[in-house]
Amino acid sequence: MRVLVIEDEADLASTLGRALDEAHFAVDIAGDGEEAQFMLAEVGYDAVVLDLMVPKRSGWTLLQDLRRSGARTPVLILTALDAVEDRVKALDLGADDYLPKPFAISELVARLRALVRRSAGNPSPFLVVGGITIDRAARIVYRENAAVDLTAREYAILELLVRHRGTLVTRSAICEHIYSESSDVFSNVVDVHVASLRRKLGSEVIQTRRGQGYIVNA
């Protein structure tokens, strides 16, 4: 899952980036509202963590513009503003969750995962397709009730494909959702990971559409 963190405090932004990376999110960071606006227009993020008091273009304006554009990207407000009226205003403008500073990283991660699950129309932490079960809370994949050892990238690709089961997912879409802007991605990286997934889970789970992408049948 790819997340945009919009935060102007450099130390906090760096801490968030490291913590979310350790939680297996692909993380991009914007230090001001103008940079964030550009990145939101260029990338289809799975979620956004938004500080309301960023420079150049406020978080309030970013949130309002995002919702006016029709984007349904989940937005978690992370801010020092903790008055009830600020929470009400942000939620009325289209925020999905509100977490005042100071906060616990573990809670932030859990809230983000819950937001992404709900936005996909499946609030359950479990995804099931065929004989494969994905426990998204524990990040464990089971094949016929036996745990399968996957790398972080393999897990991310599988979860993305299963979340969009029945729909063709292109290689470029996979890269966009599981790699951050700073990642060094070689040309056949997705093919390598998918080949490994098919060895571990069975060749019938992920179907290849040559020259197009991959699909997990519903």
Side-chain angles (χ1 to χ4, degrees):
M1 292 179 285
R2 190 168 177 182
V3 176
L4 176 62
V5 174
I6 306 169
E7 172 59 62
D8 64 316
E9 295 182 29
D11 289 344
L12 177 56
S14 179
T15 297
L16 287 171
R18 288 195 302 271
L20 291 173
D21 180 70
E22 289 173 2
H24 306 291
F25 288 92
V27 187
D28 294 333
I29 296 174
D32 62 65
E34 288 184 357
E35 182 182 17
Q37 185 178 36
F38 172 79
M39 296 172 77
L40 285 167
E42 292 294 313
V43 179
Y45 288 100
D46 295 294
V48 174
V49 178
L50 174 62
D51 182 0
L52 294 171
M53 298 186 292
V54 290
K56 295 187 180 180
R57 193 171 186 84
S58 76
W60 297 109
T61 302
L62 286 170
L63 176 60
Q64 193 170 40
D65 289 348
L66 186 67
R67 292 302 181 238
R68 281 178 174 170
S69 73
R72 301 176 64 182
T73 309
V75 176
L76 187 156
I77 302 298
L78 186 67
T79 180
L81 300 176
D82 61 356
V84 172
E85 53 266 31
D86 292 317
R87 300 183 192 215
V88 170
K89 180 180 177 181
L91 293 170
D92 282 346
L93 285 175
D96 298 274
D97 202 354
Y98 196 107
L99 185 60
K101 301 173 182 176
F103 62 96
I105 289 289
S106 58
E107 181 180 4
L108 172 66
V109 171
R111 285 174 180 258
L112 277 177
R113 287 178 175 156
L115 285 180
V116 174
R117 291 199 303 267
R118 290 201 299 270
S119 71
N122 187 354
S124 170
F126 296 99
L127 290 174
V128 181
V129 58
I132 304 299
T133 299
I134 302 175
D135 181 343
R136 293 187 283 179
R139 295 183 62 83
I140 298 175
V141 174
Y142 299 90
R143 181 187 182 191
E144 305 297 348
N145 298 319
V148 181
D149 185 23
L150 301 183
T151 68
R153 295 303 187 198
E154 289 168 358
Y155 175 91
I157 291 173
L158 179 65
E159 183 186 1
L160 178 66
L161 291 174
V162 173
R163 280 200 290 125
H164 294 86
R165 56 190 176 275
T167 302
L168 179 72
V169 183
T170 65
R171 289 173 177 81
S172 60
I174 292 173
C175 286
E176 182 176 282
H177 280 272
I178 70 170
Y179 291 99
S180 63
E181 190 176 44
S182 60
S183 296
D184 185 16
V185 182
F186 53 92
S187 60
N188 67 334
V189 63
V190 173
D191 300 323
V192 171
H193 289 317
V194 170
S196 179
L197 281 168
R198 297 182 76 186
R199 286 195 299 272
K200 294 177 180 181
L201 300 175
S203 59
E204 73 283 356
V205 175
I206 301 173
Q207 304 300 315
T208 301
R209 296 286 177 84
R210 194 171 299 279
Q212 300 178 63
Y214 302 97
I215 186 171
V216 169
N217 291 322

